[in-house]
Amino acid sequence: IGSLFNNYLFYRSNTIPKALAIFGLISTVTFTLGSVAALLIDLPESAKMSLMFPLVLFELILGFYLAILGKKEKSI
């Protein structure tokens, strides 16, 4: 839930590009649904990893984006 809220704030604040924030929202929802599904039904390990991959990819891209370009500063 914290990651979903964090990505929503990224989307609203324009700190990162909208496309990256939307990808973060989608990947967080995918991971959350996959985690709940793994608790309810017996999923193979490959299915669990494939549901986690978009979130890992988002976190890596976000880290590189913030390290290289930094956050956008608003002018007063």
Side-chain angles (χ1 to χ4, degrees):
I1 293 174
S3 181
L4 187 65
F5 183 67
N6 194 20
N7 287 318
Y8 174 73
L9 290 178
F10 276 141
Y11 178 77
R12 293 281 305 199
S13 68
N14 294 327
T15 306
I16 61 174
K18 293 273 189 189
L20 187 58
I22 290 171
F23 178 64
L25 285 167
I26 292 170
S27 62
T28 302
V29 169
T30 303
F31 178 72
T32 304
L33 292 177
S35 298
V36 171
L39 290 172
L40 297 177
I41 58 175
D42 188 29
L43 290 175
E45 193 66 30
S46 61
K48 293 176 190 175
M49 290 296 135
S50 66
L51 291 171
M52 187 171 54
F53 180 71
L55 186 60
V56 171
L57 184 63
F58 167 72
E59 295 288 341
L60 286 173
I61 292 171
L62 179 64
F64 282 120
Y65 177 83
L66 292 176
I68 294 170
L69 298 175
K71 71 178 191 83
K72 296 178 187 175
E73 296 202 19
K74 295 183 178 185
S75 60
I76 296 174

